[in-house]
Every structure is written in structure tokens, then in C-alpha cells.
Amino acid sequence: MSKSISQVPFAVNEPVRAYEPGSYEVKSLLAAYKAMWKTKFDIPMIIGGKEVTTGNTVRLQSPHDHKHDLGVYHQGDMSHVEDAINTALAAKDKWNAMGWEHRAAIFLKAADLIAGPYRDTINAATMIGQSKNVHQTEIDAACEFIDFLRFNVEFMTEIYSEQPISDAGIWNRVEYRPLEGFCFAVTPFNFTAISGNLPTCMAMMGNVVVWKPSDKQVLSAKVIMDVLKEAGLPDGVINMIFTDGKETADKVLSHPDFAGLHFTGSTRVFQSMWKQIGENIQNYKTYPRIVGETGGKDFVMVHPSAEVDGVATALIRGAFEYQGQKCSAASRAYIPKSLWKEVKKSMEAQMKTIKMGSPEDPSNFINAVIDKVAFDRCKGYIERAEKSKESKIIFGGNCDDKKGWFIEPTVILTENPQYESLREEIFGPILSIYVYQDEDWTETLKLVDETSPYSLTGSIFAQDRYAIDEAYKALENAAGNFYINDKPTGAVVGQQPFGGARASGTNDKAGSKMNLMRWTSVRSIKETFVTPKNYKYPYLG
Ligand code: NAD
């Protein structure tokens, strides 16, 4: 068979479409939205490439119009989990035996399908199923997912080409094997790109995967499987099941062939899974890899030297885009007294123009939160802030669930630096602000560092370079993604590898070589060309 050392295409970030009013691209996307909106879906699980229906159907809901009939998806039980595991294991040898170039080609083709013929489809599915506006869906479902696929292919080849040195008379090599067994991907509702990345990056490294998407992201998950099928992903390599999270985890995490968990979601669920893995540790054939990216309580720390309008804009975009349902969303801000009046004025002027409603109208900056649970949780924080003597609502605060789960962008001002909304992850369009005395800058940095158990993202705003340096050092462990004079959201694959530490996750940086390394098990090979024929070393005389 002919041989070569192939080079993959150089990865560049997918350009983000602007969707300006009246443009061809916005018309095309909205046409796809309208067509999809009228469709009555009947979405099966996909196990071994086969569509699996159970008759146990669950209604698909659109967050901004929860009564609208979008059809159903089929929910599976533990027999389907078992089937998905066995199917993955059966697909393993053939998938692993295939040259990596073919794996690369499949995922590069998937990226091109999303960039081209599937772009409107995956974007429309994300708009409808997860209530994202045209910009939010474009940067997620299209661009970030495309970037994950293209950059990971490049990172994979960089990993494969990393080799040890060799001494005289010997040749050392390393080989990058997939993990022994099957992998488990569990994904959140809030990013189609994450949902696609978690199973595909494990598969790219030669692994076979059981993938359980969130029950609130089924529509765009279906599109991901359609794309992968068209891209040529062999049956059984990624198996998508719609099953109960807890029961599925019980079944998968007690299986002797379980080899790796790639999770993104809440801290609570991740910790429960880690515990289960610990309890099962003696049953596994190999120590499983555990990667989890979880919650955040992301901060914006403002110095008296900061530019006011820049701060106000970063707070509005950082806290309210996608209704604050980004793990990186700004949810607590610390503003010096000397700037507060001006920052408030600038926020007020900008927030007056914000529109909220269906993503079908691209002029809506804010859409709905994902479901009733999220709506009730946000409403609870707002109601308690209204009643509390320690806090007041200074912007927003209205909640309306008649048609969709709408929470108005809300700002809570509190005098208590330990107030609940400054400490806890809310995951909604609610920003809490604490105004500090300018002379307390250094102590406030400590407060920022110590107020929450998380360490995902954070921003510092200042023009004074000494202040930036001080914050940079004081907040060294307060955020896995640290921003200077920018909002804490919007990490781009290949540019700002993403992930946090402390209670925010294992910080294995999605969309980077560091993450892919977790899905491979290295074999070192030493070959000696002329083998010694006597045990005696020179020192033995
Ligand atoms: P979630 O934890 O509720 O659900 C995540 C996944 O876990 C879903 O597929 C869900 O069905 C499954 N699940 C639920 N209970 C389970 C259980 N007991 N055992 C096993 N699986 C279970 O999270 P979500 O609401 O989908 O997403 C929001 C959360 O995700 C937020 O906390 C957010 O900060 C976090 N998040 C983090 C990042 C990051 O990169 N750090 C990115 C996106 C989201």
C-alpha cells in the first residue's frame, strides 16, 4: 500500500456572518427558520446508524413559544443505553484500524457541510430549540462548531507528530492509541457547538462514543447527527441516545469498559458523576479519563481608571447575551463609587433600547430562557431581591411566561458583598452589582477571588497599567479565561482555549491540544538495532 505523511489544511476561524437587515444571508436563514417552525418532527435516537423509535415520545418545546407544536422525540430506556454501549464497542476495532487521514477527512467534511449546505439548518434549529437570536446562533452552532472540527483535526495531527528523541543505536517512537473501551459524552443545552464537539473530538482520536445530549437541545442534536452521517462517519462510532441522565450515568459509569467521560454542564451533576466513577473504580478495565467543564460565577472588576462606556457595554453584552445562559456570562460586577453614577447612566441609556422576543425577529437582542425551571429560578432570585433589605432591582425585573419563558434583563444592586446573587450561579439574564469605595480596590480584588467557589471567566477593566498588573496577579486563580478590557464571554476556538478550574471544571481547555490529549493513551516504543549479547556493563571490568 502506498504511504505518505499527510498534512491537513491549515485551520482558520470561520468568518462570522453579519446578518444585516435585508441581507441575502438573513433572508435565507429566516426562510429556513419558517420552514422548520412548520415542521412536526419525529426525532429518533441513533444507535449504530439506525433510527431507533420507542413510541415513548416527549414533546419538543420552543422556549419563546412553549405552546407551539414542533412534534416529538423518542425517549429510550436502559435497554437502549446497553445497546448503544454494545454497538459502540462493536464498531471500535474497524474505526481504530482506519488511517487517521480518513477520520480527519470525515470531520473536515462535516465542517464544510455546516459552513455550507447545513448552515441555515443548524442555525435555525438552534434558534427554535434553544431560543438564540441570529448572531448568537451563528457564533455558536455554525462558527464555533466549524472551528472545533477544523482546529481539532489540526491539533490531532500536531499530537501525532510529537515524537521523542532517540539515542545512538536505538529508535524511540510514541503511538497515540484510543482509550481502551468506550467513551461517554454528556452535553448541556446551551451550546450546539459544545454538544457537537464533545463526542466528535473523542471520536476523532479513534474512540467510540455513547452520546447523551440534553433533552433541551434535541432539535440541533438531530442536525449534528444528520451532518455526521452525510460526512461519512461510520455507523456505531457515535451513538446518540435520549435517556434519563441519572439512570444513564448509573448504567454507563458501572460498565467495565467505560474509559472516558467528556462532560459539560452543571457542577452538581459533574460532581455526582465523578463520585460514581470513584465508587466503581475497581470494576473498570482501565482508569477512566474524566473531563468536565461546569458552572461559573463570572466577574467584571472595574478600576477607577476604566472607560465608562466600555464597562457599560461589556456588562450588557457579557451579562445578557443569550439571556445570560453562557457559563462565561458576567453575573457579578464590582464598580468603584467614583464611576458608578456614570456607568449606571450609560447602562440605562443603552438598556432602554433593548428589545426582547422571538429570535425570528432579528432586532430582538434578548430571547427566552430555556424552560420553566430556568424561568422559575430567575424569577425567584428577582422576587427575593425585591423583598430583601440588602438589595434592590435597578433595571428590569419583569418576568412573563404566557407565551414564552421571558425574563427581562435585570440588574440587582446590593450592599452586601456576600448577597446570594453575587455568589451563586443563576444562569439567566441577571447581573448583580456591588459598588466599592475607590480606596478599597486591593481588598475588593480579594473579595472577587474569594466570593464564589467557581473560577471560570472574569474581566478586569482599567487604563492604569499598574492596576491591571495588580489585578492580573491577585486574580491569578480566579478565572481560567481572563480578560483585560473586554467582556468575559465569546471565547474563540484556537484563540482563547476555554475552561475553568476550582468548581468550574478540570480545565482541560475545549478546542485545544490539551483536551485532545485526554482522549488518547500513549504507547512508547523503543527499538534497539544491535542488541547487546552479554550482560556485563563496562563498569564490571
Ligand atoms: P445540566 O448539568 O443540567 O445538564 C447537563 C447534561 O447532564 C444534560 O445532558 C443532562 O441531561 C445531564 N444530566 C442531568 N442530570 C444528570 C445526572 N444526574 N447524571 C448524569 N447526567 C445528568 O446542565 P445544563 O442546564 O444543560 O447546562 C447549564 C450548565 O452547564 C451551567 O451550570 C453552565 O455553567 C454549564 N456549562 C459550562 C460550560 C463550560 O465550558 N464550563 C459550558 C456550557 C455550560
Side-chain angles (χ1 to χ4, degrees):
M1 197 190 136
S2 315
K3 306 281 189 244
S4 68
I5 296 175
S6 310
Q7 259 184 346
V8 294
F10 182 69
V12 288
N13 291 114
E14 177 68 13
V16 177
R17 289 185 177 172
Y19 296 108
E20 282 175 25
S23 61
Y24 166 75
E25 42 197 41
V26 82
K27 283 184 189 152
S28 168
L29 175 52
L30 293 180
Y33 179 105
K34 280 191 173 69
M36 203 177 271
W37 188 253
K38 282 189 227 142
T39 309
K40 302 285 169 274
F41 289 92
D42 184 54
I43 301 177
M45 296 181 283
I46 304 288
I47 302 173
K50 291 195 186 68
E51 298 193 346
V52 178
T53 54
T54 61
N56 181 13
T57 54
V58 181
R59 246 191 89 217
L60 286 166
Q61 268 194 347
S62 180
H64 44 274
D65 189 350
H66 43 62
K67 293 195 183 69
H68 178 70
D69 182 12
L70 275 173
V72 295
Y73 70 89
H74 289 257
Q75 191 161 37
D77 57 31
M78 290 312 103
S79 70
H80 301 102
V81 178
E82 183 110 40
D83 194 14
I85 295 172
N86 293 335
T87 306
L89 288 170
K92 189 171 174 59
D93 286 348
K94 209 168 165 193
W95 177 238
N96 186 26
M98 192 165 76
W100 65 261
E101 294 89 342
H102 298 293
R103 295 204 307 257
I106 290 167
F107 295 109
L108 290 171
K109 179 169 178 177
D112 277 13
L113 287 169
I114 299 163
Y118 278 87
R119 195 180 197 115
D120 285 343
T121 312
I122 201 161
N123 276 339
T126 304
M127 290 167 77
I128 291 173
Q130 290 138 271
S131 204
K132 290 202 176 196
N133 63 34
V134 291
H135 176 66
Q136 291 304 314
T137 195
E138 169 74 2
I139 59 173
D140 164 22
C143 298
E144 190 175 357
F145 190 20
I146 294 165
D147 288 351
F148 273 134
L149 292 163
R150 290 184 181 147
F151 277 85
N152 280 342
V153 164
E154 192 171 302
F155 297 144
M156 172 185 76
T157 61
E158 282 176 18
I159 289 173
Y160 288 168
S161 63
E162 274 171 22
Q163 294 293 326
I165 54 162
S166 295
D167 221 339
I170 59 165
W171 181 20
N172 295 322
R173 293 182 284 132
V174 291
E175 249 180 16
Y176 295 88
R177 303 169 298 183
L179 306 183
E180 249 192 306
F182 70 95
C183 292
F184 186 32
V186 182
T187 55
F189 78 84
N190 64 336
F191 277 93
T192 303
I194 294 177
S195 171
N197 179 48
L198 267 48
T200 54
C201 75
M202 292 194 291
M204 198 179 284
M205 298 305 285
N207 297 290
V208 286
V209 184
V210 173
W211 171 33
K212 199 209 81 60
S214 162
D215 53 359
K216 293 164 260 173
Q217 187 256 329
V218 168
L219 194 53
S220 56
K222 174 211 175 322
V223 182
I224 292 171
M225 288 307 278
D226 290 347
V227 168
L228 293 175
K229 189 168 185 69
E230 191 166 334
L233 186 74
D235 295 345
V237 173
I238 295 178
N239 303 281
M240 177 179 72
I241 50 172
F242 305 136
T243 46
D244 176 77
K246 167 87 179 70
E247 283 180 39
T248 308
D250 287 346
K251 183 108 193 145
V252 169
L253 302 180
S254 59
H255 196 288
D257 289 303
F258 164 66
L261 169 67
H262 204 185
F263 175 84
T264 298
S266 62
T267 300
R268 179 187 60 79
V269 171
F270 183 52
Q271 290 186 351
S272 74
M273 291 170 95
W274 192 307
K275 208 166 150 197
Q276 275 178 293
I277 293 169
E279 280 160 7
N280 281 296
I281 202 71
Q282 286 167 325
N283 303 332
Y284 302 133
K285 293 181 184 161
T286 182
Y287 290 109
R289 301 281 168 90
I290 308 174
V291 172
E293 294 302 334
T294 63
K297 188 68 194 171
D298 310 299
F299 60 85
V300 173
M301 176 60 173
V302 181
H303 185 260
S305 67
E307 283 174 355
V308 166
D309 290 337
V311 170
T313 302
L315 289 177
I316 293 169
R317 286 185 171 175
F320 303 135
E321 281 187 301
Y322 191 40
Q323 296 77 260
Q325 298 172 121
K326 299 188 185 191
C327 49
S328 55
S331 62
R332 54 187 175 123
Y334 300 79
I335 304 189
K337 189 144 194 283
S338 59
L339 290 190
W340 171 231
K341 226 169 118 186
E342 289 301 302
V343 170
K344 187 178 171 201
K345 206 166 117 193
S346 178
M347 283 184 82
E348 191 165 17
Q350 297 194 53
M351 285 183 67
K352 272 204 294 227
T353 66
I354 289 179
K355 287 175 61 188
M356 181 165 75
S358 164
E360 193 181 356
D361 176 354
S363 69
N364 287 326
F365 182 67
I366 300 288
N367 313 114
V369 297
I370 193 72
D371 63 2
K372 181 169 163 45
V373 174
F375 179 85
D376 290 343
R377 186 178 60 242
C378 293
K379 199 168 170 218
Y381 276 97
I382 290 171
E383 284 172 356
R384 288 195 296 282
E386 272 164 351
K387 283 189 202 128
S388 169
K389 288 194 181 68
E390 296 178 320
S391 62
K392 61 178 175 189
I393 308 274
I394 55 168
F395 299 124
N398 294 312
C399 311
D400 182 351
D401 61 354
K402 281 194 287 298
K403 185 162 187 195
W405 315 115
F406 289 103
I407 303 276
E408 200 180 11
T410 299
V411 178
I412 298 173
L413 183 69
T414 176
E415 287 168 6
N416 174 5
Q418 299 300 334
Y419 184 68
E420 61 166 15
S421 68
L422 274 174
R423 282 189 289 107
E424 297 163 11
E425 183 180 54
I426 301 175
F427 224 59
I430 300 174
L431 170 68
S432 297
I433 291 181
Y434 176 72
V435 177
Y436 69 91
Q437 302 296 325
D438 289 34
E439 58 273 22
D440 293 340
W441 155 255
T442 301
E443 293 79 75
T444 309
L445 286 174
K446 202 162 165 349
L447 184 67
V448 172
D449 187 39
E450 292 176 354
T451 297
S452 99
Y454 300 107
S455 167
L456 192 50
T457 73
S459 303
I460 142 88
F461 277 80
Q463 293 306 310
D464 176 339
R465 202 71 219 185
Y466 284 119
I468 294 174
D469 186 43
E470 188 185 349
Y472 180 76
K473 288 171 183 153
L475 300 172
E476 182 182 4
N477 290 310
N481 283 57
F482 189 70
Y483 294 81
I484 301 169
N485 291 321
D486 204 344
K487 64 182 170 60
T489 58
V492 175
V493 177
Q495 297 194 36
Q496 300 98 23
F498 191 79
R502 295 185 183 163
S504 292
T506 53
N507 201 16
D508 287 291
K509 299 295 189 202
S512 79
K513 238 183 346 183
M514 292 167 269
N515 183 287
L516 293 194
M517 279 304 297
R518 302 301 310 275
W519 312 121
T520 183
S521 175
V522 173
R523 176 162 80 144
S524 288
I525 302 145
K526 175 187 177 190
E527 180 169 351
T528 299
F529 296 128
V530 181
T531 312
K533 304 285 189 304
N534 190 308
Y535 85 93
K536 283 193 176 173
Y537 293 106
Y539 77 90
L540 292 171

